[in-house]
Structures are given as structure tokens and as C-alpha cells.
Amino acid sequence: MPASIRSEQGCHVFTRPCRCRVCGEKLASGHTATEETPAPDTSTPGPPRIPGVMSLACLVFLRRRLYLLPIITALWIIMAFFISYGISVNSGSVKSNDFPYISYTAIEAPERCVFGQLINIGAVLLGMNVWVRYLFVKEILLKGTISEATKWQKVNIAGIILGFLSALGISMVANFQTVVQRGPHYVGAGLAFGLGLAYCLLQTRISWKLRSEKYGHQFIAIAQLVNSFALTVFLLLFAVTKIIYKIHEAKDLKMGLTDTKFTVRGVYLTSTISEWLVATSVLTFALTFTWDFRALVMETPRVNVNFDMIENIPKEPVSVDDTNMNTISAKV
């Protein structure tokens, strides 16, 4: 909204149109520098305004288009998977007749460098989705019409913690290759997939609560429930087949064999495909935020400057007359 000052009569008047300090976009139009233009009627509430805590979103012009954030996130991470896979096949690190685990598409350079960089950006985008979702739910709870709002805000806080840890896990998986850094890699996988599932289940429960209070589209909660169920099935399938594959791999290594992926081809492909489906399910869950994010508008990021701490203007000595000195002396 344009900057305003308070006149002697007590009403707001507009002095100049404001612009975003990052992208320069006008926040409002149609008002010029005048002291006679009254403030617009704000009796009709607009979309909830998200506090300006993520200037990156403003940089990519998402301030009024937050519904694009989940779409960009999903497309970016999926693109990262397939770019890394394509580079690894082209460089010969992965055979063309193989469909490996996601991590094995980024073992050697240059694909691991590209994969790490793209996934790091994707993890930040995913964290932004988590943060905006948290603020969206918080705004609804602050409205005061939700029963047990305090309890559900604690659930909301738990959700953002799980979401941030899951995003951190995705970054760890990309930066710690499974062949050379198995420990941190598996910790990251546990955070990304395990806590990612917990986050999806928790957000599904929150969506059902909001649905019962007449907030949000009625089919969003159903879509999240179906997505969470599919994610659970894929994750269990991945865990079981991965264990079976590792058992066969250990036996083959004792016998001097190194092509376990071809000796137990069915188990191997089931395990790798299910891992890809787990990752995809996490991203499709983020896409369910698109509908609710249409109602959000991000406020412009800003800072408050204490000019007394940075100004180098010498202070003029204050003249004190005899009357004031007598008064001061009397008080002392």
C-alpha cells in the first residue's frame, strides 16, 4: 500500500506510490503525491498477507503469485533428477540398460556437481513451501474461529520443524555421495524420506481439521490423504526391497560377484523404481499446497534503520540561558 501520513484532521493521505525494494514492482497504483487523496476503503479484507521474510520469493516475482512456488519446486527437483541421470548415462557412469537409485546417478563428476547444486536450490525451495504453509495455517488459527487453536498451533510448529529437517535431508543426500560418505548419506535419506512422510501425514491431519472448520477446498484434504497413503506404500516397498537387495549383494560379494543388480533384476528394479516414486510422491504432496497459496500475498521485505547509530553529523552545542541554569541548579 502507498506510503501515507496523518493530516491535522486525523485521516491518512497518500504521499507517493511504494515499490518493492527488491524487484521494484509497484505495490499500488493510481495515487500521486498529494495531500488531498483520501485513503481507500479497507472495510473489505483481502487475502492474508504473509510477513516479508523471504526476499528470494520477491526476487522471482512470487509476491502475488505464491501458488507458483509448489509448481516451481516440483519441476525443479524432478528436472535435477533427470538431468543428473542423463549426464551419468552420457558419461558412461551409468549403463544405458540400467535404472539406478537416484543417488547412483550422481557418484562421479561432473554429474554429482550438477546434481548437488540443483538439489541444494531445490531444498531451499522446498523449505520455502514449508514456511509459507506454516504461516498460512497460523493466519487461519489467529482468526479465532478454530476450536482448540492453541493446540493446533503446536501441531503447526511441529510440522514446520519436520518440514525443515526433511528439506535438510534432501540437501545432505545430494552432497554426501553414498559410495564415499555412507553414514551422512543414509542420515540424510532418513530425514528426507522418513520425516518427509511424517510431515505429509501431519499436514494431511491439519488439512482435515481445516476442512471440518470450512476452510480450504474440500478435495485438497482427500488428495493429501491419497498422496500420503501412496507415499507410505512406496516407502515400505522401497525399504523391504532395499534390504533384500543388500542381502543378496553381500552374498555375491563373498563369492566375488559384482553384478547383483542383474542376478536379482526384479528385486533391484522394484527397489529403484519405488525410491523414485517416493521422491515423486513428496513433490506431488507439495503440489497440493497450490490451491491454498492462491489466497496469499507476501508483504514487501523491509528493514528498519536506526539512523542515530550511522549518522556522522556533528551535534551542535546547546545554549543554556541563565534562567535555565538557575532552574537546573535548583533541581540539583
Side-chain angles (χ1 to χ4, degrees):
M1 135 178 216
S4 62
I5 60 174
R6 185 175 294 274
S7 67
E8 295 179 358
Q9 290 77 19
C11 62
H12 283 86
V13 293
F14 290 91
T15 59
R16 65 185 183 278
C18 292
R19 294 176 179 270
C20 172
R21 298 186 182 185
V22 179
C23 63
E25 180 184 353
K26 281 188 178 181
L27 303 186
S29 59
H31 297 284
T32 58
T34 176
E35 294 187 358
E36 299 179 355
T37 306
D41 182 15
T42 57
S43 57
T44 303
R49 300 181 71 83
I50 298 301
V53 293
M54 293 179 299
S55 58
L56 177 61
C58 191
L59 270 175
V60 293
F61 308 105
L62 293 179
R63 188 174 64 84
R64 295 182 178 273
R65 305 176 185 87
L66 281 173
Y67 62 90
L68 294 176
L69 181 58
I71 299 174
I72 293 173
T73 302
L75 292 177
W76 183 274
I77 296 180
I78 290 175
M79 175 192 69
F81 290 163
F82 283 99
I83 287 178
S84 176
Y85 178 63
I87 296 175
S88 62
V89 170
N90 185 65
S91 64
S93 302
V94 173
K95 297 179 181 179
S96 58
N97 62 343
D98 187 16
F99 190 74
Y101 295 104
I102 297 174
S103 302
Y104 279 84
T105 65
I107 298 297
E108 304 293 339
E111 57 265 22
R112 72 181 180 190
C113 307
V114 175
F115 182 76
Q117 184 63 42
L118 294 178
I119 293 299
N120 282 339
I121 297 174
V124 173
L125 291 173
L126 202 58
M128 290 169 61
N129 282 271
V130 171
W131 179 247
V132 174
R133 168 68 176 183
Y134 164 81
L135 293 174
F136 167 73
V137 175
K138 181 181 178 181
E139 288 290 326
I140 295 178
L141 295 175
L142 289 176
K143 189 176 180 181
T145 59
I146 303 292
S147 60
E148 299 180 309
T150 303
K151 167 191 170 182
W152 285 99
Q153 176 57 16
K154 293 179 180 179
V155 176
N156 194 28
I157 293 173
I160 191 175
I161 294 173
L162 291 174
F164 279 162
L165 289 175
S166 178
L168 174 63
I170 292 176
S171 179
M172 290 179 64
V173 167
N175 291 281
F176 296 95
Q177 285 76 34
T178 182
V179 173
V180 293
Q181 295 288 338
R182 291 187 181 274
H185 181 85
Y186 287 139
V187 170
L191 293 175
F193 293 157
L195 296 190
L197 173 61
Y199 175 79
C200 293
L201 293 173
L202 195 62
Q203 293 304 316
T204 301
R205 182 66 187 91
I206 292 175
S207 294
W208 278 93
K209 173 63 179 178
L210 298 182
R211 182 175 183 262
S212 67
E213 301 283 351
K214 309 301 181 184
Y215 287 101
H217 198 283
Q218 59 179 342
F219 294 112
I220 295 299
I222 297 175
Q224 290 181 348
L225 180 62
V226 173
N227 195 111
S228 297
F229 176 78
L231 175 57
T232 303
V233 172
F234 294 145
L235 185 57
L236 289 174
L237 182 62
F238 166 66
V240 171
T241 53
K242 179 74 171 182
I243 292 173
I244 295 174
Y245 174 74
K246 285 297 182 181
I247 292 174
H248 283 279
E249 185 181 44
K251 291 180 179 179
D252 288 347
L253 287 175
K254 290 181 179 180
M255 300 173 59
L257 302 176
T258 58
D259 290 333
T260 307
K261 64 180 67 176
F262 296 106
T263 58
V264 285
R265 188 67 172 171
V267 174
Y268 172 74
L269 288 178
T270 302
S271 182
T272 58
I273 292 173
S274 60
E275 185 196 35
W276 283 74
L277 290 175
V278 168
T280 304
S281 298
V282 173
L283 299 177
T284 55
F285 189 92
L287 288 175
T288 63
F289 295 159
T290 303
W291 180 273
D292 291 332
F293 285 7
R294 298 185 313 155
L296 304 181
V297 174
M298 180 180 295
E299 292 182 350
T300 305
R302 59 170 299 174
V303 296
N304 294 321
V305 179
N306 186 346
F307 287 97
D308 292 336
M309 298 180 64
I310 62 174
E311 287 181 341
N312 296 319
I313 302 176
K315 296 182 179 179
E316 297 181 359
V318 180
S319 61
V320 182
D321 56 22
D322 295 339
T323 304
N324 291 336
M325 286 299 295
N326 294 332
T327 303
I328 294 172
S329 300
K331 289 182 179 180
V332 173

